[in-house]
Amino acid sequence: MKKILQLQEVKVIAKKQTLLDVPEFTLQQGDLLGVIGPNGAGKSTLLKVLSFLQAPNEGRVVYKGEEKHANTLSLDIRRRFAVAMQQPLLFDTNVQQNVVLGLKLRKENKKIINEKVDYWLNKFQIDHLAKKNALSLSGGEAQRVNLARALILEPEVLFLDEPFSALDFPTKAQLIQDLKEILNDTSTTTFFVSHDLLEIKHLTKSLAVIMNGNVEQIGYTKEVIDQPNQAVAPFLNKWKELYTL
Ligand SMILES: Nc1ncnc2c1ncn2[C@@H]1O[C@H](COP(=O)(O)OP(=O)(O)OP(=O)(O)O)[C@@H](O)[C@H]1O
């Protein structure tokens, strides 16, 4: 597999505290990598640094072998990444308009926009909501719109920051199943931050466990869950006791 994004000797420091300390980290092309860890461990910070939303205080972020900087990243490269957060920031217009917005900004041709929007509304099973105002949607519907809006851009890397955590269990389970099929079909490289080992187990191929700003273990999801190292075992074993995973 090719390396798409790498961190080298990265540190994020705020108020003299090291929030993230990652000597080496690689996101491989085609991977579906989950990131789990306790509250405040640094998961969102890692996502922001890797997606060039935040510059680290030290170290390098490397995209396809070349060091790049958050502050000077070209629009062309920035547009290869899409980020979907826990709370979708939808605009006060209908669902269809929300989903096409990114393509319109890229001045994509109208016929292609229409074809793509039909395709993605259908993929996320939100075609019936096309003309509904996005601000009147349920949490599950809004997250489907959010994900359709990200995937219509055909990103090279999709960054997800706890996209399911506000959803009730059946809504979450169905969306995870649908998203898993979509990501398998598109082979989109995905970096998925979650609090929930069940979500991680169902959706991801690889897993990184982050504790106190350090990536303590990374590997195939099943192997990390089955054979956690000493640093992450107390955290993961709590989940395993709870869910008998
Ligand atoms: N701009 C900032 N200034 C100071 N501290 C910050 C800043 N941003 C984040 N932090 C701190 O950095 C640590 C890591 O935060 P981060 O949001 O990355 O953790 P997380 O693992 O995503 O947490 P959660 O699971 O609660 O969302 C936390 O202790 C947080 O308070």
Side-chain angles (χ1 to χ4, degrees), residues 14 19 38-45 162 195:
L19 308 181
N39 282 128
K43 303 180 293 293
S44 298
T45 307
E162 308 204 21
H195 269 116

Side-chain angles (χ1 to χ4, degrees), residues 23-231:
E24 204 281 317
F25 180 89
T26 300
L27 182 62
Q28 306 274 5
Q29 196 156 24
D31 201 0
L32 211 172
L33 175 81
V35 179
I36 199 167
N39 282 128
K43 303 180 293 293
S44 298
T45 307
L46 180 62
L47 181 149
K48 286 184 212 155
V49 170
L50 207 58
S51 60
F52 296 100
L53 292 175
Q54 177 177 346
N57 299 81
E58 291 179 23
R60 292 168 297 284
V61 187
V62 176
Y63 168 68
K64 291 186 170 168
E66 274 186 50
E67 184 180 358
K68 301 284 176 195
H69 298 269
N71 302 333
T72 55
L73 194 70
S74 69
L75 192 56
D76 171 46
I77 295 182
R78 192 168 289 288
R79 283 179 166 172
R80 299 177 198 181
F81 310 129
V83 183
M85 302 289 196
Q86 179 184 348
Q87 293 296 341
L89 278 176
L90 300 179
F91 297 101
D92 186 7
T93 178
N94 72 33
V95 164
Q96 191 172 27
Q97 291 302 321
N98 268 272
V99 174
V100 299
L101 189 71
L103 289 181
K104 278 193 171 170
L105 289 173
R106 290 171 195 205
K107 308 218 183 310
E108 184 72 85
N109 142 327
K110 264 195 184 152
K111 184 168 172 282
I112 294 179
I113 291 185
N114 289 338
E115 283 169 11
K116 284 188 178 173
V117 75
D118 285 350
Y119 178 83
W120 285 104
L121 289 178
N122 178 267
K123 269 277 179 204
F124 278 101
Q125 296 161 43
I126 47 175
D127 355 31
H128 61 292
L129 302 172
K131 300 294 175 202
K132 196 167 176 184
N133 186 289
L135 302 187
S136 68
L137 301 174
S138 71
E141 291 166 345
Q143 197 51 264
R144 282 177 182 268
V145 173
N146 197 27
L147 292 168
R149 190 172 59 173
L151 279 157
I152 200 172
L153 301 172
E154 296 167 12
E156 216 173 324
V157 186
L158 176 66
F159 290 92
L160 301 172
D161 198 348
E162 308 204 21
F164 312 120
S165 52
L167 309 183
D168 65 43
F169 188 76
T171 306
K172 177 192 300 210
Q174 187 60 54
L175 183 51
I176 288 176
Q177 193 54 42
D178 293 346
L179 183 64
K180 186 174 179 172
E181 283 172 24
I182 290 168
L183 295 177
N184 278 338
D185 286 351
T186 55
S187 307
T188 306
T189 308
T190 305
F191 181 94
F192 168 55
V193 168
S194 173
H195 269 116
D196 188 328
L197 196 60
L198 267 184
E199 293 179 9
I200 294 272
K201 187 172 179 259
H202 280 95
L203 195 58
T204 66
K205 296 179 192 167
S206 316
L207 174 59
V209 187
I210 181 164
M211 319 274 294
N212 295 317
N214 302 296
V215 177
E216 296 284 6
Q217 190 170 0
I218 187 163
Y220 289 117
T221 302
K222 188 173 178 346
E223 284 176 18
V224 175
I225 292 175
D226 289 348
Q227 293 155 20
N229 66 24
Q230 261 191 341

